Amino acid sequence: MASACILCSLLFFAPFLTEAATAGFTVDFIHRDSPLSPLYNPLETQFDRFYNAYHRSIARVNRLRTKSSSSKALQSHIIPSGGEYFMNFSIGTPPVEVFAIADTGSDLTWVQCKPCDQCYDQKSPLFDPEQSSTYKNVACGADSCHALGSSERSCDRKQDYCKYSYHYGDQSFTKGNVATENLTIGSTTGGPVSLPEIIFGCGHNNGGTFDGAGSGIVGLGGGPLSFVSQVSATIGGEFSYCLVPTSTSKATSKIIFGNSDGISSPGMATTPLIEKEPSTYYYVTLEAISVGNKRIPYATSSMEHGNMIVDSGTTLTLLDSELYDKLESALEEAINAERGSDPRGFLSPCFKEAGKGGALNLPVLTFHFTGADVQLQPYNTFAKVEDDLVCFAMVPSNDIAIFGNLAQMDIMVGYDLAKRTLSFAPTDCTKH
């Protein structure tokens, strides 16, 4: 299915939303390392958390790479235990609370369901479809069933049930029935929002590296079965989020479904979303990066439209290796400080602070996307890895570039699926 027809195809799937939802709604976006997250470990240091995020980023890239190079839709593209943000919602009638990874790198929303042929150990109660009066299995011939990739769908011909099966690169998997169910989201800007007949996966066979704190996945990708695509006709095809810096523990990030006033601020910059396969990912074109006033263009040999994926589930930013090498040299020239080495050997360049608490004069980096210059502050681009050592928090990649969530913090990032644009507006996300 061509990505240009995503919205028109969704007319088959778009549910009727309550009046409260038509004006949009806002939901907490909980970082996995936040004290509000069930994965929060108070014994970990800030350095532990950063290096754990580094490893999750690399693992996630491997799965994104697998999907990007594969013709099979919806395969090997999420990290079961590595999603960086969670959403709370309830499913069914009566409602059962769900805490799931919110993932802009995947489409189908799914949760673990009873009865379990095999399930990972989930801390919260499993959803039991037999106890819900609004649960309905999707028929094999339904449009929503055929929206799955041919290798990911099958049919229970005896009962005429559409079934899905995803296998991930780390040997994790989820299998079950494609169904519709009522979702209820507790909006932070009003009362609960009811979303009837959302298509989702009811997983009866799930295993691998999934973390028991989560019940499944909320798919926020660009494909036709994603949550945002299903409700796009009602929310005008728009959603946005504002990520609070990880150093801030008293404020939560927010995701807004519908129009956001913040994205219309004077500092807003807009770039086209490029239509490529797989349609799950949000592709943009990076033309150059500036270190202060020094502009470093993408090499002509590797420059192509849609050369970078914007992803909320990857912490670090990954850059084309040739561009990264030039950027590293420019940073070394611009920063007048003693060089250091990452004690774990992952990041470069690194710089030592002058004395205890001594501040480094780190430059502002500007990412030049087509039609949009996005300025990144030092906390978007550098990370403290020891008390007196700061390292550049971007890494080289030979075949896939990702604009990660560290770079997106304190920026309102707005997606318009109807206009096929992505907007950036500098924002104090703690006040949004």
Side-chain angles (χ1 to χ4, degrees):
M1 183 181 297
S3 54
C5 295
I6 287 175
L7 286 177
C8 58
S9 69
L10 289 169
L11 295 177
F12 293 110
F13 310 141
F16 171 80
L17 274 66
T18 62
E19 183 177 354
T22 59
F25 52 96
T26 302
V27 183
D28 283 336
F29 217 30
I30 304 170
H31 193 277
R32 61 174 290 137
D33 288 333
S34 164
L36 299 176
S37 166
L39 297 180
Y40 178 74
N41 182 355
L43 300 179
E44 289 182 337
T45 67
Q46 62 174 329
F47 311 129
D48 293 331
R49 294 187 184 104
F50 178 78
Y51 281 115
N52 289 339
Y54 171 89
H55 288 296
R56 290 194 301 270
S57 292
I58 300 306
R60 182 174 176 82
V61 167
N62 290 334
R63 285 142 186 84
L64 291 171
R65 180 183 292 117
T66 301
K67 179 171 167 56
S68 296
S69 61
S70 172
S71 61
K72 297 180 180 180
L74 300 171
Q75 181 174 346
S76 302
H77 62 286
I78 62 174
I79 303 176
S81 61
E84 294 298 320
Y85 289 90
F86 287 90
M87 279 176 54
N88 264 118
F89 62 93
S90 296
I91 186 169
T93 308
V96 175
E97 188 175 25
V98 170
F99 196 73
I101 296 170
D103 191 3
T104 54
S106 62
D107 287 327
L108 184 67
T109 295
W110 64 266
V111 300
Q112 289 205 113
C113 290
K114 289 183 177 180
C116 271
D117 299 324
Q118 177 182 349
C119 281
Y120 61 89
D121 186 16
Q122 180 179 310
K123 296 177 183 178
S124 58
L126 295 178
F127 175 63
D128 186 350
E130 292 189 0
Q131 300 301 313
S132 174
S133 62
T134 47
Y135 177 90
K136 296 179 182 177
N137 285 300
V138 167
C140 296
D143 292 314
S144 51
C145 183
H146 287 283
L148 291 166
S150 59
S151 62
E152 281 71 46
R153 70 172 184 265
S154 60
C155 181
D156 182 335
R157 299 195 179 279
K158 182 177 180 180
Q159 296 182 301
D160 191 27
Y161 291 166
C162 179
K163 302 183 78 66
Y164 77 95
S165 176
Y166 293 169
H167 294 268
Y168 306 108
D170 64 351
Q171 307 306 310
S172 296
F173 58 90
T174 175
K175 303 176 183 179
N177 293 351
V178 181
T180 63
E181 185 55 283
N182 289 0
L183 268 61
T184 304
I185 294 180
S187 172
T188 63
T189 53
V193 177
S194 178
L195 307 169
E197 298 184 354
I198 295 293
I199 298 157
F200 81 111
C202 198
H204 296 288
N205 195 336
N206 322 287
T209 62
F210 296 105
D211 195 293
S215 305
I217 302 291
V218 181
L220 301 177
L225 289 181
S226 79
F227 175 78
V228 292
S229 293
Q230 288 190 61
V231 301
S232 64
T234 303
I235 61 175
E238 296 178 70
F239 77 99
S240 55
Y241 50 74
C242 204
L243 304 182
V244 172
T246 52
S247 59
T248 304
S249 61
K250 295 183 179 180
T252 59
S253 301
K254 298 290 188 293
I255 182 167
I256 303 108
F257 297 98
N259 180 264
S260 168
D261 293 336
I263 206 66
S264 302
S265 68
M268 181 183 73
T270 301
T271 190
L273 283 170
I274 305 301
E275 296 173 3
K276 293 178 65 174
E277 292 298 331
S279 61
T280 303
Y281 302 144
Y282 297 106
Y283 299 95
V284 294
T285 302
L286 178 65
E287 298 179 348
I289 298 175
S290 289
V291 178
N293 295 323
K294 183 175 181 179
R295 184 182 176 103
I296 305 166
Y298 228 110
T300 304
S301 60
S302 58
M303 178 66 184
E304 62 173 310
H305 291 296
N307 57 15
M308 176 167 269
I309 296 169
V310 177
D311 181 38
S312 67
T314 304
T315 298
L316 303 183
T317 290
L318 279 82
L319 298 172
D320 169 80
S321 295
E322 188 174 348
L323 177 62
Y324 175 88
D325 290 342
K326 295 178 180 178
L327 180 58
E328 182 178 22
S329 297
L331 288 171
E332 291 172 348
E333 292 177 7
I335 300 173
N336 184 22
E338 182 183 353
R339 288 290 303 273
S341 297
D342 178 3
R344 306 195 192 186
F346 297 136
L347 302 174
S348 179
C350 297
F351 303 91
K352 292 185 178 180
E353 293 181 332
K356 187 175 182 180
L360 287 169
N361 186 20
L362 299 172
V364 171
L365 268 61
T366 303
F367 273 53
H368 301 283
F369 298 107
T370 300
D373 293 341
V374 181
Q375 287 192 340
L376 302 183
Q377 302 304 316
Y379 60 78
N380 295 118
T381 55
F382 288 85
K384 182 172 285 193
V385 298
E386 287 187 334
D387 288 334
D388 63 347
L389 188 66
V390 174
C391 293
F392 188 46
M394 299 186 184
V395 294
S397 172
N398 291 325
D399 56 358
I400 187 169
I402 298 175
F403 194 62
N405 63 46
L406 185 63
Q408 299 176 53
M409 290 177 181
D410 266 350
I411 297 174
M412 179 71 76
V413 183
Y415 298 72
D416 191 323
L417 303 184
K419 295 180 180 178
R420 301 297 301 161
T421 60
L422 184 64
S423 298
F424 304 89
T427 306
D428 182 349
C429 292
T430 63
K431 297 179 180 178
H432 185 77

